[in-house]
Amino acid sequence: DIQLTQSPSFLSPSVGDRVTITCRASQPFSSYLAWYQQKSRKAPNVLIYSVSTLQSGVPSRFSGSGLGTEFTLTIDSVQPEDSAVYYCQQLFIYPWTFGQGTKLEVK
Amino acid sequence: DVQLVESGGGLVQSGGSLRLSCAASGFIFRESWMTWVRQAPGKGLEWVANINQDGNERNYVDSVKGRFTISRDNAKNSLYLQMNSLRAEDTAIYYCAKLVRYPTNWFDPWGQGTQVTVSS
């Protein structure tokens, strides 16, 4: 199984800060990585797919990058409504796996 | 609007069975892969199973193989998860989602989830 490890597990930035969440994989894979946002235990929503493609309707301050075993989600100028838990997911090899989550609390 | 609505969750004893349903609307269900994901209390997300358009390809996480069966009824625009031999560790919110498969894979949208609680 591909293990995904997110860092950090918790972030508490101020409004306007730039935030980076890293997702490291136990083995390399190509392109099949997505990022999700989950607010207050509601259903997750996709932010980014195919490593770096922004889902329609998602603010442009969100971006994704990476390849191989290291992927990042960046939020430029974080806003209060970005407070949520963020998950990366690999959909390359079964079983498809998620990272453990990064909780973001905007001050 | 694309909408997924889960139902069928509840409280069941260990060893028991439950059948979850997911009603789909707002998209061509019969042309879509579908998937189930669960979230245990206070924990992260775990992919459970997926199914292709006509139901002849199904994939499962190892922990549910032989106990859970994913299925669909395209005439009813509905997805199902039959859960047998339930264990305490199956306690979770279960979400259905549409699986987008091009150019890569991702889940969008997700339903609101249905709670399954297994008492031991």
Side-chain angles (χ1 to χ4, degrees):
Chain A
D1 298 7
I2 296 181
Q3 314 296 329
L4 297 179
T5 303
Q6 291 181 227
S7 59
S9 296
F10 178 78
L11 272 175
S12 187
S14 298
V15 173
D17 284 352
R18 187 172 198 246
V19 165
T20 298
I21 299 170
T22 299
C23 176
R24 289 188 174 87
S26 58
Q27 61 188 84
F29 60 92
S30 173
S31 298
Y32 287 68
L33 184 106
W35 288 95
Y36 300 87
Q37 177 191 65
Q38 186 178 33
K39 292 185 177 182
S40 302
R41 299 290 287 192
K42 296 207 171 146
N45 288 305
V46 65
L47 298 171
I48 304 273
Y49 59 89
S50 303
V51 177
S52 59
T53 304
L54 195 67
Q55 170 71 340
S56 175
V58 173
S60 59
R61 62 180 178 273
F62 290 90
S63 63
S65 64
L67 77 164
T69 60
E70 187 159 322
F71 303 89
T72 59
L73 172 70
T74 300
I75 310 173
D76 285 321
S77 188
V78 69
Q79 300 300 304
E81 60 266 30
D82 298 334
S83 292
V85 180
Y86 293 84
Y87 295 93
C88 58
Q89 183 198 22
Q90 68 82 17
L91 304 99
F92 184 67
I93 291 177
Y94 287 117
W96 292 345
T97 49
F98 290 89
Q100 82 280 11
T102 295
K103 185 172 185 178
L104 182 72
E105 283 186 1
V106 181
K107 295 175 194 165
Chain B
D1 275 3
V2 176
Q3 194 172 14
L4 297 168
V5 179
E6 301 93 337
S7 60
L11 175 63
V12 61
Q13 285 192 327
S14 180
S17 298
L18 215 50
R19 187 197 197 204
L20 306 183
S21 300
C22 172
S25 60
F27 64 100
I28 305 175
F29 181 77
R30 66 179 182 275
E31 295 182 355
S32 301
W33 280 74
M34 298 295 295
T35 193
W36 288 97
V37 177
R38 66 185 178 183
Q39 187 167 35
K43 302 295 185 183
L45 303 169
E46 181 183 34
W47 169 76
V48 174
N50 64 21
I51 187 169
N52 73 339
Q53 292 91 336
D54 58 12
N56 64 7
E57 182 176 344
R58 312 175 197 205
N59 299 285
Y60 299 91
V61 68
D62 281 353
S63 59
V64 309
K65 279 181 186 173
R67 300 188 300 123
F68 289 12
T69 302
I70 188 171
S71 64
R72 64 192 297 158
D73 185 335
N74 288 340
K76 295 183 178 179
N77 285 347
S78 292
L79 175 72
Y80 305 103
L81 187 66
Q82 177 67 44
M83 304 186 295
N84 298 331
S85 303
L86 282 162
R87 307 166 180 165
E89 55 265 34
D90 297 317
T91 294
I93 298 171
Y94 284 74
Y95 298 99
C96 68
K98 178 171 168 282
L99 168 54
V100 184
R101 298 220 71 172
Y102 181 82
T104 59
N105 297 320
W106 68 96
F107 300 163
D108 180 63
W110 299 52
Q112 85 290 347
T114 187
Q115 175 71 50
V116 171
T117 303
V118 183
S119 63
S120 51

